[in-house]
Amino acid sequence: MKRFFKKENGQAIVELAITLPILLSLLCGILDFGWIYSNKLIISNCSREGARTAMFTNDSNIQAIVCSKVKESAPTFLRDKLTVSVTYDSDGDTNVTVSSPIQVLTPISGIFLGGQILTLSSSTVMAAG
């Protein structure tokens, strides 16, 4: 009877079955975090480019010019998804807000983030000089 209980055949498969879901979840989380963070940086940079353009443009069609500059500075996979708005406050400061829906890369992360699509946005305010 002791020989039957001392056998360790299949022990590695059981350990793999226990650890593999944890490792895959961790890997998917790392991939999606990097993807989302990279897109957030891109959207922030586009917002800054739009605010700079808005501050140095004296054209009456400023919304179209800023939108064009923002989409020009974005990578091709993101250009058609960007939403741009330009507003001015009472002090003359310019506020450019850029937002975009981003799809997560892995379905596992989408479960924890509340869906497969996240809306990322960035707002930049340039003070009137």
Side-chain angles (χ1 to χ4, degrees), residues 46 50 63 66-68 70-71 81-86 96-99:
C46 290
Q63 180 80 22
V66 170
C67 186
S68 172
V70 166
K71 290 187 178 193
K81 300 176 187 178
L82 291 177
T83 304
V84 182
S85 70
V86 180
V96 176
T97 304
V98 178
S99 63

Side-chain angles (χ1 to χ4, degrees), residues 2-127:
K2 283 185 176 181
R3 280 176 46 185
F4 179 72
F5 287 114
K6 288 204 176 216
K7 287 186 178 182
E8 294 183 6
N9 295 340
Q11 170 258 346
I13 293 175
V14 172
E15 287 178 1
L16 179 69
I18 292 170
T19 59
L20 189 63
I22 296 168
L23 290 175
L24 284 177
S25 297
L26 187 63
L27 179 66
C28 290
I30 291 169
L31 286 173
D32 276 330
F33 178 77
W35 173 251
I36 292 168
Y37 189 72
S38 172
N39 282 298
K40 177 66 175 171
L41 288 176
I42 290 170
I43 290 172
S44 294
N45 288 334
C46 290
S47 174
R48 279 195 294 274
E49 279 297 316
R52 271 191 217 109
T53 301
M55 284 305 295
F56 297 113
T57 301
N58 293 327
D59 197 350
S60 62
N61 197 9
I62 197 162
Q63 180 80 22
I65 293 170
V66 170
C67 186
S68 172
K69 183 64 175 180
V70 166
K71 290 187 178 193
E72 188 179 294
S73 65
T76 55
F77 73 91
L78 200 58
R79 282 188 186 147
D80 297 333
K81 300 176 187 178
L82 291 177
T83 304
V84 182
S85 70
V86 180
T87 57
Y88 297 96
D89 65 4
S90 60
D91 297 333
D93 296 344
T94 306
N95 185 4
V96 176
T97 304
V98 178
S99 63
S100 176
I102 300 295
Q103 185 168 358
V104 295
L105 295 176
T106 61
I108 294 173
S109 296
I111 293 169
F112 296 109
L113 295 173
Q116 295 297 317
I117 296 177
L118 297 173
T119 301
L120 301 177
S121 66
S122 178
S123 183
T124 302
V125 176
M126 286 281 189

